[in-house]
Amino acid sequence: MMNQRRHLFFSFSWVLLMLIFFFSLLFVTVVYMAKHNDYFNTLNSYLMISKSLSAKFMFLKISQEHLAELINIFSILFLLSSHIFSYKLCKFAFNKIKSYSLFMITPVLLIEFILYSPTVYEYLYLGLFRHTDPVLFKKIYNFAFHMTFFMNISILMLNIAFVIIASVKCFKYERFRFVICSITVTFAAVCIIYFLLFSHLPTQLLLISRAANHIRYNSLPIGGYTPSFYVFPLLALCGFITLLISVIHYTRLVRQTHMNEKFYLKSADSNVFTSRVFSHYIKNELLTIIMQLKNCIDQPDSQTIEGIIDYCNGVYKHIDYVKKVNSSQHFEFQKKNLYIPILKSINAFQDAHPDVDIDVKLVHPAPVCIVDSMYIELLCNNLLQNAYEALFTTPNRKITVSSEFEPNMILIHFENNGIPIPRSDISKIFDPFYSTKSTQTNWGIGLYLCKKIMVAHHGTIFVSSNDHRTVFTFSLSLS
């Protein structure tokens, strides 16, 4: 899980780098256009930049050679950062994905950085390949440009594919659906906007004449764009802001899931210890059964046989309890009708204990909460069993299960008219291995487990008791 959180942290970092590289590339491109005569009078129609600001850009103390270098560098860095972001997001959602793609595109982008550097191009054309036919040299460069153009489009498509894979993997978790869809749509939009603005980058911007010993920088090939060109940077900014917010929200959801998983790991350790306690209990009970069987061999007695059957039933119940507690590997939170696991528990309990009157007063409409149904059912089983054990000496035994709505919350009450809980014990009732009943059959685990289940569901559980009734109440947020 720590590796997953690290993947998310790096994903957030790479989104910030994408934002920085995109707008750095945009700024350098604007300055390059301002310094080029082809765009001095038309720059306003592309990016809503006034002539006075364009003039300031034109007189910035930076050469066209350095600007061309920066344009190519920032375009390559954007491609690299967007790829790493999509890879990290996909790696988090689909851990089996290999890191081959990272090692594949890095050499390609490095070659592009070298190939389109004005300094390198000038050295190759005027130095190393000075005697090469200039037409052939330019044909080779044009072929290389078409290859790298195809590779860059492939990288953008691969990035979008990675994010889509992550969204498909996470879509089955309802709480992640909206945010993962938001990440997918905004990331795809940013990549498309980048392609519309800078699909020709990186590229060779030099035009060199050997005969005249002259170097000229080509204009950027954006002449075919519409006058609404200036809208694209604004859309990109909105996309980046949405993407950052979505990644932050995604990280928060993952952190909450991590807290639930962390609770489960602690609970699992507790369950191992609890299993050992129950094993010790079962061993003692089996020894008692063996001793009674030996006595029964010599003098058969129906009362002794009934006692043996009771002991066996008690052992069976404890084994079944341990099995239920340890059966689930992790919490599976889903949006559910809360009454379904509650009624399932009540019906099973009523079948096992027909001597107890259970009054169900669940108000409607049924509440919908994000819960793990198995653990909610286990919680209700424990509360019903706890109420039943408090009714042993009560003549008119009755358990009432009711519900109550509060703002954004549902309260479920388990009420019994049995023996009240002493005031001194109420503060300790949810502590592990604390029980007000005989420790021969009660180990103080049930209510402790109830509390842990509520912690995992971000809910609460509490108890009130007086001479007339005892009420256990748990609360959950409505989804």
Side-chain angles (χ1 to χ4, degrees), residues 368-397:
V368 177
C369 303
I370 298 176
V371 296
D372 184 317
S373 297
M374 194 278 290
Y375 275 98
I376 293 298
E377 186 180 345
L378 181 60
L379 167 73
C380 296
N381 290 343
N382 285 333
L383 294 178
L384 288 170
Q385 183 63 32
N386 188 76
Y388 178 74
E389 291 171 357
L391 294 171
F392 278 149
T393 60
T394 304
N396 297 319
R397 295 187 287 182

Short mmCIF file of all heavy atoms in Angstrom, two decimals, residues 368-397:
data_model
loop_
_atom_site.label_atom_id
_atom_site.label_comp_id
_atom_site.label_asym_id
_atom_site.label_seq_id
_atom_site.Cartn_x
_atom_site.Cartn_y
_atom_site.Cartn_z
N VAL A 368 -29.63 4.43 2.49
CA VAL A 368 -28.58 3.90 1.61
C VAL A 368 -27.25 4.42 2.12
O VAL A 368 -27.03 5.63 2.22
CB VAL A 368 -28.81 4.34 0.15
CG1 VAL A 368 -27.67 3.85 -0.73
CG2 VAL A 368 -30.14 3.81 -0.35
N CYS A 369 -26.36 3.50 2.48
CA CYS A 369 -25.05 3.85 3.05
C CYS A 369 -23.96 3.07 2.34
O CYS A 369 -24.22 2.03 1.72
CB CYS A 369 -25.00 3.55 4.54
SG CYS A 369 -26.28 4.35 5.53
N ILE A 370 -22.74 3.56 2.44
CA ILE A 370 -21.57 2.84 1.90
C ILE A 370 -21.04 1.94 3.01
O ILE A 370 -20.43 2.43 3.98
CB ILE A 370 -20.50 3.82 1.40
CG1 ILE A 370 -21.06 4.67 0.26
CG2 ILE A 370 -19.26 3.07 0.94
CD1 ILE A 370 -20.13 5.73 -0.25
N VAL A 371 -21.29 0.64 2.90
CA VAL A 371 -20.98 -0.30 3.98
C VAL A 371 -20.44 -1.59 3.40
O VAL A 371 -20.55 -1.88 2.21
CB VAL A 371 -22.22 -0.60 4.83
CG1 VAL A 371 -22.72 0.64 5.54
CG2 VAL A 371 -23.33 -1.22 3.99
N ASP A 372 -19.85 -2.40 4.29
CA ASP A 372 -19.54 -3.80 4.01
C ASP A 372 -20.64 -4.63 4.67
O ASP A 372 -20.72 -4.70 5.90
CB ASP A 372 -18.16 -4.16 4.57
CG ASP A 372 -17.74 -5.58 4.21
OD1 ASP A 372 -18.59 -6.49 4.28
OD2 ASP A 372 -16.57 -5.79 3.87
N SER A 373 -21.49 -5.23 3.87
CA SER A 373 -22.69 -5.91 4.39
C SER A 373 -22.34 -7.02 5.36
O SER A 373 -23.03 -7.23 6.36
CB SER A 373 -23.51 -6.48 3.23
OG SER A 373 -23.98 -5.44 2.41
N MET A 374 -21.25 -7.77 5.08
CA MET A 374 -20.88 -8.88 5.93
C MET A 374 -20.54 -8.41 7.35
O MET A 374 -20.96 -8.99 8.34
CB MET A 374 -19.68 -9.63 5.32
CG MET A 374 -19.41 -11.01 5.95
SD MET A 374 -18.46 -10.95 7.50
CE MET A 374 -16.86 -10.45 6.87
N TYR A 375 -19.81 -7.28 7.42
CA TYR A 375 -19.41 -6.77 8.73
C TYR A 375 -20.59 -6.11 9.46
O TYR A 375 -20.66 -6.17 10.69
CB TYR A 375 -18.24 -5.80 8.59
CG TYR A 375 -16.91 -6.51 8.55
CD1 TYR A 375 -16.28 -6.76 7.35
CD2 TYR A 375 -16.30 -6.94 9.71
CE1 TYR A 375 -15.07 -7.42 7.30
CE2 TYR A 375 -15.08 -7.59 9.68
CZ TYR A 375 -14.47 -7.84 8.47
OH TYR A 375 -13.28 -8.50 8.43
N ILE A 376 -21.50 -5.48 8.72
CA ILE A 376 -22.69 -4.92 9.37
C ILE A 376 -23.56 -6.04 9.94
O ILE A 376 -24.10 -5.94 11.05
CB ILE A 376 -23.50 -4.07 8.36
CG1 ILE A 376 -22.69 -2.82 7.97
CG2 ILE A 376 -24.84 -3.65 8.96
CD1 ILE A 376 -22.39 -1.87 9.11
N GLU A 377 -23.66 -7.13 9.21
CA GLU A 377 -24.42 -8.28 9.71
C GLU A 377 -23.75 -8.86 10.95
O GLU A 377 -24.43 -9.22 11.93
CB GLU A 377 -24.51 -9.35 8.61
CG GLU A 377 -25.39 -10.52 8.99
CD GLU A 377 -25.47 -11.57 7.90
OE1 GLU A 377 -25.07 -11.26 6.75
OE2 GLU A 377 -25.92 -12.69 8.20
N LEU A 378 -22.42 -8.95 10.94
CA LEU A 378 -21.70 -9.44 12.11
C LEU A 378 -21.89 -8.51 13.31
O LEU A 378 -22.06 -8.96 14.45
CB LEU A 378 -20.21 -9.57 11.77
CG LEU A 378 -19.29 -10.09 12.87
CD1 LEU A 378 -19.69 -11.48 13.31
CD2 LEU A 378 -17.84 -10.10 12.38
N LEU A 379 -21.89 -7.21 13.05
CA LEU A 379 -22.15 -6.23 14.10
C LEU A 379 -23.52 -6.46 14.73
O LEU A 379 -23.66 -6.50 15.96
CB LEU A 379 -22.07 -4.82 13.49
CG LEU A 379 -22.59 -3.66 14.31
CD1 LEU A 379 -21.65 -3.33 15.45
CD2 LEU A 379 -22.82 -2.43 13.46
N CYS A 380 -24.55 -6.64 13.90
CA CYS A 380 -25.91 -6.86 14.41
C CYS A 380 -26.01 -8.18 15.17
O CYS A 380 -26.70 -8.27 16.20
CB CYS A 380 -26.92 -6.82 13.27
SG CYS A 380 -27.03 -5.22 12.45
N ASN A 381 -25.33 -9.21 14.67
CA ASN A 381 -25.32 -10.50 15.37
C ASN A 381 -24.79 -10.34 16.79
O ASN A 381 -25.35 -10.87 17.76
CB ASN A 381 -24.47 -11.51 14.61
CG ASN A 381 -25.10 -11.95 13.31
OD1 ASN A 381 -26.29 -11.74 13.10
ND2 ASN A 381 -24.31 -12.54 12.43
N ASN A 382 -23.70 -9.59 16.92
CA ASN A 382 -23.09 -9.39 18.24
C ASN A 382 -24.02 -8.61 19.17
O ASN A 382 -24.15 -8.94 20.36
CB ASN A 382 -21.75 -8.66 18.11
CG ASN A 382 -20.65 -9.56 17.58
OD1 ASN A 382 -20.68 -10.77 17.77
ND2 ASN A 382 -19.68 -8.96 16.91
N LEU A 383 -24.67 -7.57 18.63
CA LEU A 383 -25.56 -6.76 19.47
C LEU A 383 -26.80 -7.55 19.89
O LEU A 383 -27.27 -7.42 21.04
CB LEU A 383 -25.97 -5.49 18.72
CG LEU A 383 -24.84 -4.49 18.43
CD1 LEU A 383 -25.36 -3.30 17.64
CD2 LEU A 383 -24.17 -4.02 19.72
N LEU A 384 -27.32 -8.38 18.99
CA LEU A 384 -28.48 -9.21 19.34
C LEU A 384 -28.10 -10.27 20.38
O LEU A 384 -28.85 -10.52 21.33
CB LEU A 384 -29.05 -9.87 18.08
CG LEU A 384 -29.79 -8.94 17.11
CD1 LEU A 384 -30.08 -9.67 15.80
CD2 LEU A 384 -31.08 -8.44 17.73
N GLN A 385 -26.93 -10.89 20.17
CA GLN A 385 -26.49 -11.90 21.14
C GLN A 385 -26.23 -11.28 22.50
O GLN A 385 -26.56 -11.86 23.54
CB GLN A 385 -25.21 -12.57 20.61
CG GLN A 385 -24.67 -13.69 21.48
CD GLN A 385 -25.63 -14.86 21.60
OE1 GLN A 385 -26.37 -15.16 20.66
NE2 GLN A 385 -25.63 -15.52 22.75
N ASN A 386 -25.67 -10.08 22.50
CA ASN A 386 -25.41 -9.38 23.76
C ASN A 386 -26.73 -9.07 24.49
O ASN A 386 -26.84 -9.22 25.71
CB ASN A 386 -24.64 -8.09 23.46
CG ASN A 386 -24.17 -7.41 24.73
OD1 ASN A 386 -23.21 -7.83 25.35
ND2 ASN A 386 -24.85 -6.33 25.11
N ALA A 387 -27.75 -8.64 23.71
CA ALA A 387 -29.07 -8.37 24.30
C ALA A 387 -29.71 -9.65 24.83
O ALA A 387 -30.32 -9.66 25.92
CB ALA A 387 -29.97 -7.70 23.26
N TYR A 388 -29.57 -10.73 24.09
CA TYR A 388 -30.16 -12.00 24.49
C TYR A 388 -29.56 -12.49 25.81
O TYR A 388 -30.28 -12.98 26.70
CB TYR A 388 -29.93 -13.03 23.39
CG TYR A 388 -30.45 -14.41 23.72
CD1 TYR A 388 -31.81 -14.69 23.70
CD2 TYR A 388 -29.57 -15.44 24.06
CE1 TYR A 388 -32.29 -15.96 24.00
CE2 TYR A 388 -30.02 -16.70 24.37
CZ TYR A 388 -31.39 -16.95 24.34
OH TYR A 388 -31.86 -18.21 24.65
N GLU A 389 -28.25 -12.35 25.97
CA GLU A 389 -27.59 -12.81 27.19
C GLU A 389 -27.98 -11.97 28.39
O GLU A 389 -27.91 -12.42 29.54
CB GLU A 389 -26.07 -12.79 26.98
CG GLU A 389 -25.59 -13.85 26.00
CD GLU A 389 -24.13 -13.69 25.64
OE1 GLU A 389 -23.51 -12.71 26.11
OE2 GLU A 389 -23.59 -14.53 24.89
N ALA A 390 -28.40 -10.71 28.13
CA ALA A 390 -28.83 -9.85 29.24
C ALA A 390 -30.25 -10.17 29.69
O ALA A 390 -30.72 -9.65 30.71
CB ALA A 390 -28.74 -8.38 28.82
N LEU A 391 -30.97 -11.04 28.93
CA LEU A 391 -32.39 -11.32 29.21
C LEU A 391 -32.61 -12.66 29.92
O LEU A 391 -33.77 -13.07 30.10
CB LEU A 391 -33.19 -11.34 27.89
CG LEU A 391 -33.30 -10.01 27.14
CD1 LEU A 391 -33.92 -10.26 25.76
CD2 LEU A 391 -34.14 -9.02 27.92
N PHE A 392 -31.53 -13.34 30.34
CA PHE A 392 -31.68 -14.68 30.90
C PHE A 392 -32.61 -14.71 32.12
O PHE A 392 -33.40 -15.63 32.29
CB PHE A 392 -30.30 -15.24 31.28
CG PHE A 392 -29.57 -15.83 30.12
CD1 PHE A 392 -28.18 -15.79 30.06
CD2 PHE A 392 -30.25 -16.41 29.06
CE1 PHE A 392 -27.50 -16.33 28.99
CE2 PHE A 392 -29.58 -16.95 27.98
CZ PHE A 392 -28.21 -16.91 27.94
N THR A 393 -32.52 -13.72 32.98
CA THR A 393 -33.31 -13.72 34.22
C THR A 393 -34.54 -12.83 34.12
O THR A 393 -35.20 -12.56 35.13
CB THR A 393 -32.43 -13.24 35.39
OG1 THR A 393 -31.96 -11.93 35.13
CG2 THR A 393 -31.25 -14.19 35.61
N THR A 394 -34.88 -12.38 32.91
CA THR A 394 -36.04 -11.49 32.72
C THR A 394 -37.25 -12.31 32.28
O THR A 394 -37.15 -13.12 31.33
CB THR A 394 -35.72 -10.42 31.66
OG1 THR A 394 -34.54 -9.71 32.05
CG2 THR A 394 -36.87 -9.44 31.51
N PRO A 395 -38.39 -12.15 32.93
CA PRO A 395 -39.56 -12.96 32.57
C PRO A 395 -40.12 -12.64 31.18
O PRO A 395 -40.34 -13.54 30.37
CB PRO A 395 -40.57 -12.63 33.68
CG PRO A 395 -40.12 -11.33 34.25
CD PRO A 395 -38.64 -11.30 34.11
N ASN A 396 -40.39 -11.40 30.89
CA ASN A 396 -40.94 -11.00 29.58
C ASN A 396 -39.80 -10.48 28.70
O ASN A 396 -39.55 -9.27 28.62
CB ASN A 396 -42.01 -9.92 29.76
CG ASN A 396 -43.19 -10.43 30.56
OD1 ASN A 396 -43.62 -11.56 30.39
ND2 ASN A 396 -43.68 -9.58 31.47
N ARG A 397 -39.13 -11.40 28.08
CA ARG A 397 -37.93 -11.04 27.33
C ARG A 397 -38.31 -10.41 25.98
O ARG A 397 -39.08 -10.98 25.22
CB ARG A 397 -37.06 -12.27 27.12
CG ARG A 397 -36.52 -12.83 28.43
CD ARG A 397 -35.52 -13.93 28.22
NE ARG A 397 -36.15 -15.17 27.77
CZ ARG A 397 -35.48 -16.29 27.56
NH1 ARG A 397 -34.17 -16.32 27.75
NH2 ARG A 397 -36.11 -17.37 27.16
#
